[in-house]
Amino acid sequence: LGYLRQVRLHRVHQELLAADPRHCTVTEIAGRWKFSNASRLAASYRAAYGVLPSYTLRHGQQGSPTSPGPPNTAPVTPQN
């Protein structure tokens, strides 16, 4: 995946974790992050997080594996 797509996927993941499944859908969240193809999103999401986006929405923090952050976001510490 390209960097920006990974960042968008991570943001979808974060929103799914925080969303209330009674008031929000995967499609709605995905659309906000410009994922227009549900099956492609599901495949990319499953590859990154090990579960489908609908599972994360339904189970939130309890049912989701540890979420990796977007790529290359760790601070760089200078070596002495």
Side-chain angles (χ1 to χ4, degrees):
L1 294 175
Y3 175 75
L4 292 178
R5 186 177 171 109
Q6 286 179 328
V7 170
R8 289 177 25 237
L9 191 62
H10 176 72
R11 300 303 266 170
V12 166
H13 179 69
Q14 293 300 309
E15 283 199 37
L16 289 170
L17 289 172
D20 182 344
R22 296 172 294 175
H23 304 291
C24 198
T25 67
V26 172
T27 302
E28 182 181 332
I29 292 170
R32 280 198 289 267
W33 291 100
K34 307 300 182 210
F35 286 98
S36 59
N37 186 314
S39 61
R40 285 183 137 176
L41 169 65
S44 296
Y45 190 92
R46 187 173 206 157
Y49 298 102
V51 295
L52 292 172
S54 57
Y55 185 87
T56 301
L57 178 61
R58 284 193 311 269
H59 299 283
Q61 295 284 350
Q62 299 86 17
S64 185
T66 304
S67 63
N72 303 320
T73 57
V76 176
T77 306
Q79 301 278 330
N80 288 335

